[in-house]
């Protein structure tokens, strides 16, 4: 039996992007391409500027996580990795106070793979280094298709365990809870198709981005009050927060939860709680608690997006 299949061919990067700064950096800074990189490294990226000054040097791309999260440095090198660029990414990270560094290369040499792995193992849990090989592929003369091949990334679980040293008992429990949440979130097709969990932390909240810089959702654990929740949070736009507060009762009915509006100096929003959840004494029920939060977050996301708050 014969099969009509094509041959995949690797396309030289320089044939499409002859100049790193003028061609590749310009291409990568376009929203849809930066978003594709973000999907590859599991971060939602927003461009701040290209050719960003760092002393007498310039970082190729300066970005941030969506909703004003951690700062991100992206350094492009469409050739083999070298010591010069390894030094640059550290210099740029320090100069921009970046917590995420992405080094995009044509070919990752083994010594530099090991260097990025070492940095991930020996920096704190909020710092991450990514080594990404840029690839172009064609099928029998078709238009080249770009692919971000992540060859080194942070080991979040290992770093979270290391970070837990010195935490209080309550902080360690929250960290364990959010680690379990990440496992269940990625296994939940309905949830993971529209949202991605934040890296586990010792905080009582875990942020969820839903495509707007004006607001986001968060999951909550209030151990001392025996309740868990899902929150709508507008950090700097009280008019948006007020629009959701006005519909708090309606949303509470939809979510089958207790609605608690809040208005702070800058932030506003609504927290939706499920009571009677003894987080400390019933770890065997964590899966049930998390399942409720995942389902409720999906419902709240759908309701919020239907309000067209950015419109």
């Amino acid at each position: 039996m014969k099969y009509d299949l094509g041959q995949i061919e690797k396309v030289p990067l320089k044939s499409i992007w002859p100049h790193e700064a003028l061609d590749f950096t310009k291409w990568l800074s376009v929203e849809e391409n930066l978003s594709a990189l973000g999907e590859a490294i599991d971060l939602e990226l927003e461009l701040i500027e290209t050719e960003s000054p760092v002393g007498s040097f310039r970082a190729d791309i300066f970005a941030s996580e969506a909703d004003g999260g951690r700062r991100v440095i992206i350094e492009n090198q469409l050739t083999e990795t070298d010591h010069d660029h390894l030094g640059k990414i550290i210099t740029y990270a320090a100069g921009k106070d970046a917590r995420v560094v992405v080094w995009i290369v044509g070919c990752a040499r083994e010594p530099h793979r090991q260097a990025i792995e070492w940095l991930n193992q020996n920096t704190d849990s909020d710092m991450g280094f990514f080594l990404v090989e840029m690839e172009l592929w064609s099928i029998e003369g078709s238009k080249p298709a770009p692919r971000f091949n992540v060859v080194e990334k942070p080991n979040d679980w290992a770093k979270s365990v290391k970070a837990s040293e010195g935490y209080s008992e309550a902080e360690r429990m929250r960290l364990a809870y959010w680690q379990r949440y990440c496992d269940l979130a990625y296994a939940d097709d309905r949830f993971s198709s529209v949202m991605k969990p934040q890296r586990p932390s010792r905080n009582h909240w875990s942020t969820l981005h839903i495509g707007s810089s004006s607001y986001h959702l968060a999951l909550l654990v209030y151990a001392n009050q025996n309740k868990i929740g899902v929150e709508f949070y507008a950090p700097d736009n009280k008019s948006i927060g007020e629009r959701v507060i006005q519909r708090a009762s309606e949303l509470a009915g939809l979510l089958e939860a207790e609605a608690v509006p809040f208005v702070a100096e800058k932030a506003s929003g609504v927290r939706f709680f499920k009571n009677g959840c003894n987080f400390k004494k019933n770890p065997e029920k964590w899966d049930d608690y998390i399942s409720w939060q995942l389902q409720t977050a999906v419902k709240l996301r759908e309701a919020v997006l239907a309000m067209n708050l950015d419109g």
Side-chain angles (χ1 to χ4, degrees):
M1 182 180 294
K2 294 183 178 180
Y3 298 94
D4 187 18
L5 301 175
Q7 294 293 319
I8 297 178
E9 300 174 339
K10 200 166 187 178
V11 178
L13 300 179
K14 293 288 187 177
S15 69
I16 300 299
W17 302 297
H19 193 281
E20 284 178 12
L22 299 180
D23 297 309
F24 183 73
T25 297
K26 183 178 180 180
W27 173 84
L28 183 59
S29 65
V30 174
E31 183 178 358
E32 63 180 287
N33 301 325
L34 196 61
S35 177
L37 172 62
E39 289 183 9
I41 62 175
D42 199 22
L43 291 175
E44 191 173 350
L45 300 174
E46 290 184 348
L47 177 69
I48 296 177
E49 64 180 349
T50 60
E51 299 299 318
S52 185
V54 183
S56 60
F57 301 98
R58 290 185 178 274
D60 290 334
I61 291 179
F62 182 34
S64 71
E65 288 185 288
D67 195 37
R70 292 172 296 181
R71 297 180 175 186
V72 181
I73 287 294
I74 302 173
E75 177 65 10
N76 305 319
Q77 183 187 5
L78 299 186
T79 55
E80 283 192 343
T81 55
D82 57 36
H83 293 342
D84 177 59
H85 282 79
L86 176 60
K88 284 180 178 178
I89 65 172
I90 296 173
T91 300
Y92 297 160
K96 291 295 188 182
D97 191 26
R99 309 303 294 172
V100 179
V101 176
V102 185
W103 187 9
I104 300 178
V105 303
C107 178
R109 296 173 58 200
E110 187 58 30
H112 301 121
R113 289 180 187 236
Q114 294 175 1
I116 296 301
E117 181 182 17
W118 183 89
L119 286 167
N120 280 322
Q121 291 174 347
N122 291 276
T123 52
D124 65 43
S125 61
D126 195 43
M127 190 83 189
F129 291 83
F130 294 85
L131 182 59
V132 180
E133 286 185 334
M134 189 69 228
E135 299 176 347
L136 287 172
W137 293 94
S138 174
I139 301 177
E140 295 187 345
S142 68
K143 291 193 299 184
R147 177 175 182 264
F148 297 101
N149 179 28
V150 181
V151 296
E152 287 294 340
K153 62 182 181 180
N155 185 333
D156 290 345
W157 182 86
K159 296 181 83 170
S160 295
V161 171
K162 178 182 175 182
S164 69
E165 298 174 2
Y167 283 4
S168 68
E169 181 181 355
E171 289 172 331
R172 285 196 296 271
M173 287 191 72
R174 289 196 294 265
L175 177 62
Y177 183 86
W178 295 128
Q179 288 171 336
R180 181 57 180 162
Y181 151 66
C182 283
D183 292 339
L184 296 181
Y186 281 115
D188 187 310
D189 292 340
R190 187 180 178 199
F191 178 91
S192 63
S193 66
V194 293
M195 289 178 285
K196 294 180 181 179
Q198 188 182 40
R199 177 183 302 189
S201 75
R202 58 181 169 176
N203 299 323
H204 73 269
W205 74 88
S206 185
T207 301
L208 287 169
H209 299 296
I210 57 174
S212 173
S213 60
S214 300
Y215 56 84
H216 61 262
L217 306 185
L219 306 188
L220 308 170
V221 172
Y222 285 84
N224 294 329
Q225 301 176 41
N226 292 340
K227 59 186 180 181
I228 59 174
V230 176
E231 173 185 66
F232 172 87
Y233 190 89
D236 297 301
N237 193 321
K238 286 191 176 181
S239 65
I240 285 181
E242 183 60 32
R243 289 171 63 186
V244 177
I245 289 172
Q246 290 174 356
R247 298 180 62 178
S249 296
E250 174 190 341
L251 291 169
L254 171 69
L255 305 177
E256 298 182 356
E258 175 194 7
V260 180
F262 66 92
V263 178
E265 183 177 352
K266 291 185 177 180
S268 60
V270 185
R271 298 181 179 113
F272 300 91
F273 290 115
K274 178 180 177 66
N275 296 302
C277 299
N278 196 320
F279 170 79
K280 291 182 178 179
K281 293 186 178 180
N282 297 318
E284 74 279 1
K285 293 184 178 180
W286 283 5
D287 283 13
D288 293 336
Y289 298 165
I290 293 167
S291 178
W292 180 86
Q293 288 181 304
L294 296 178
Q295 294 173 28
T296 304
V298 170
K299 291 178 184 177
L300 182 57
R301 173 188 176 275
E302 291 174 351
V304 166
L305 294 180
M307 294 182 194
N308 192 27
L309 297 172
D310 286 320

